[in-house]
Amino acid sequence: MIIKVALRCVEPKLYTLIIGFYLVLLTFIYNIRLNYVMQTHLCNIFKHLIQYRMHKKATPSLLDWYHTHGRHELPWRNTEDPYHIYLSEVMLQQTQVKTVLERFYFPFLQRFPSLKTLGDAALDDVLKMWEGLGYYTRAKNLHKTATLVERLPSDIDALIALPGIGKNTAHAIAAFAFGQPVPVMEANVRRILCRIFALQTPAPKDLWDKAYDLLDTQNPFEHNQAMMDIGSGICLPKNPKCTLCPFASICTGKQTPQRYPLKQKKTVPIREEFIMVYRYNDRLSLTQRKGKFLHGLWGFESVDVPLCAAEYLGEVTHAYTHFKLVCKVYVYDELDKEQTHYFNLSEIRKLAISKVDEKILKLL
DNA sequence: AACGCGTGGCC
DNA sequence: TGGCCAAGCGT
């Protein structure tokens, strides 16, 4: 352990080795009166130094790899603004780069160019910009955070204290916006670590320990970005391109990459719902969702039993991550007093609605 | 600790 | 095509 720490602090130059060899030789040849423990200790230090040099030589540095192969054009890599970096991190939670880059990042920033404009906006307007991106509590927490702080803190614990910022996002902001020597721990990094160290079902703490161990503390930005680029472009879930990987020489799991990490499959339940829509003078009844599911979005009402007199329009299905939804849609051409909100088509387009309700709308 | 939480890319 | 998966977080 002491040796590993020493190796992190001191970049072993060639002259260190030469002097080291010279000392060891002196120790043996002239039988200098060092005790046995000291001799072994010295020998071990130099053995590790040699191994470290060979390792560095065998694996081209991540820094070099990043300069040559990294995705330098990603907009959140070319800004110093912590708000921009923070926004990208939240949008990218469980969401592919392509989606965020092509459809959401720029329009959102155009509409809310600063933390202050975001905090001053109405939540419904924020949700409208988030429409189609999914996981809507992200938008709610983003807005909430914008009302809480004028600028983002750089301290990891202070970041985690903000709603919507967990351990990974806090580390990402610390590393990317404030240059702190900390690793990130998301899907790509996790998979790389599992493959390198042949881990099937690692505990989170083990992964963080490995990540800290592997981190290039001199270049945290490049190191973390490189890890994510390798994870998304080389160390793929299926058919990883190990021949292109800078970690190939030290990777212990590359023979059977599909085993690391081990994935458990879950069966998704099917949920059936009756959707009851009231239609009156080309206006439709909608309600704003209150719970955690599709939070804040507008949609058609789900009922236990549809009205007998209502007309059955057909089925709409939608696959979520944890269940499959089958909606049987009914419409009734009367005004129901209990429905407080009626909208025509152009008004509905201004509301934030989900994919299911979009499908139901199409059916109507 | 194990779930609930959306949508779309990719094969 | 259906199934897997994605820059995770809150509870």
Side-chain angles (χ1 to χ4, degrees), chain A residues 71-113:
Chain A
R71 292 176 291 180
H72 304 285
E73 70 288 352
L74 294 177
W76 43 87
R77 294 185 180 180
N78 295 298
T79 175
E80 305 260 312
D81 191 331
Y83 166 62
H84 291 202
I85 292 166
Y86 161 52
L87 176 68
S88 75
E89 289 302 328
V90 175
M91 282 189 165
L92 288 162
Q93 288 168 7
Q94 295 289 279
T95 309
Q96 294 190 347
V97 169
K98 183 181 170 71
T99 304
V100 172
L101 187 62
E102 293 179 1
R103 297 173 49 199
F104 294 95
Y105 181 71
F106 291 116
F108 193 98
L109 274 183
Q110 180 141 4
R111 178 73 178 74
F112 308 111

Side-chain angles (χ1 to χ4, degrees), chain A residues 64-213:
Chain A
D64 292 342
W65 185 92
Y66 182 67
H67 285 145
T68 316
H69 303 289
R71 292 176 291 180
H72 304 285
E73 70 288 352
L74 294 177
W76 43 87
R77 294 185 180 180
N78 295 298
T79 175
E80 305 260 312
D81 191 331
Y83 166 62
H84 291 202
I85 292 166
Y86 161 52
L87 176 68
S88 75
E89 289 302 328
V90 175
M91 282 189 165
L92 288 162
Q93 288 168 7
Q94 295 289 279
T95 309
Q96 294 190 347
V97 169
K98 183 181 170 71
T99 304
V100 172
L101 187 62
E102 293 179 1
R103 297 173 49 199
F104 294 95
Y105 181 71
F106 291 116
F108 193 98
L109 274 183
Q110 180 141 4
R111 178 73 178 74
F112 308 111
S114 68
L115 210 53
K116 176 163 171 50
T117 53
L118 179 61
D120 289 345
L123 177 57
D124 280 352
D125 293 339
V126 181
L127 279 169
K128 185 61 186 172
M129 295 308 290
W130 209 268
E131 181 184 38
L133 190 52
Y135 287 147
Y136 297 95
T137 51
R138 288 187 292 175
K140 186 190 176 188
N141 287 331
L142 197 66
H143 178 254
K144 176 78 175 176
T145 290
T147 65
L148 289 176
V149 294
E150 280 185 22
R151 64 188 58 181
L152 287 163
S154 60
D155 179 68
I156 287 183
D157 289 330
L159 284 164
I160 292 178
L162 295 168
I165 300 181
K167 189 168 181 181
N168 172 61
T169 301
H171 278 67
I173 294 171
F176 297 144
F178 300 110
Q180 293 178 38
V182 294
V184 299
M185 180 55 62
E186 40 65 75
N188 294 307
V189 176
R190 194 152 39 238
R191 191 170 53 253
I192 295 173
L193 294 177
C194 286
R195 296 256 169 84
I196 290 180
F197 300 105
L199 309 172
Q200 295 195 314
T201 54
K205 185 186 183 310
D206 291 336
L207 288 172
W208 279 101
D209 287 346
K210 303 270 190 206
Y212 267 98
D213 210 32

Side-chain angles (χ1 to χ4, degrees), chain A residues 182-338:
Chain A
V182 294
V184 299
M185 180 55 62
E186 40 65 75
N188 294 307
V189 176
R190 194 152 39 238
R191 191 170 53 253
I192 295 173
L193 294 177
C194 286
R195 296 256 169 84
I196 290 180
F197 300 105
L199 309 172
Q200 295 195 314
T201 54
K205 185 186 183 310
D206 291 336
L207 288 172
W208 279 101
D209 287 346
K210 303 270 190 206
Y212 267 98
D213 210 32
L214 207 60
L215 177 69
D216 178 351
T217 54
Q218 298 302 308
N219 308 283
F221 182 98
E222 289 84 353
H223 172 92
N224 283 315
Q225 304 287 21
M227 291 293 280
M228 291 194 283
D229 286 350
I230 291 166
S232 66
I234 293 177
C235 196
L236 304 168
K238 291 173 186 171
N239 306 318
K241 304 171 179 175
C242 300
T243 55
L244 300 178
C245 184
F247 288 121
S249 68
I250 62 162
C251 183
T252 59
K254 65 184 172 189
Q255 306 304 333
T256 53
Q258 71 282 358
R259 288 167 54 183
Y260 314 108
L262 218 57
K263 44 208 155 198
Q264 68 270 23
K265 55 177 180 182
K266 314 151 201 168
T267 57
V268 293
I270 296 177
R271 184 190 299 178
E272 291 194 26
E273 285 187 2
F274 295 110
I275 304 298
M276 189 67 235
V277 185
Y278 295 91
R279 183 166 53 193
Y280 190 71
N281 286 347
D282 291 329
R283 300 166 83 84
L284 303 171
S285 61
L286 286 95
T287 58
Q288 191 166 25
R289 295 174 185 268
K290 297 260 193 291
K292 292 183 177 179
F293 184 60
L294 299 170
H295 176 93
L297 270 64
W298 288 83
F300 300 105
E301 192 185 18
S302 170
V303 295
D304 294 335
V305 183
L307 232 58
C308 293
E311 177 193 355
Y312 176 63
L313 289 186
E315 255 181 28
V316 164
T317 65
H318 192 70
Y320 295 94
T321 306
H322 290 285
F323 62 95
K324 183 175 176 181
L325 184 62
V326 180
C327 296
K328 297 183 186 304
V329 183
Y330 292 82
V331 65
Y332 190 52
D333 285 298
E334 287 293 339
L335 183 71
D336 180 26
K337 293 279 167 46
E338 290 185 19

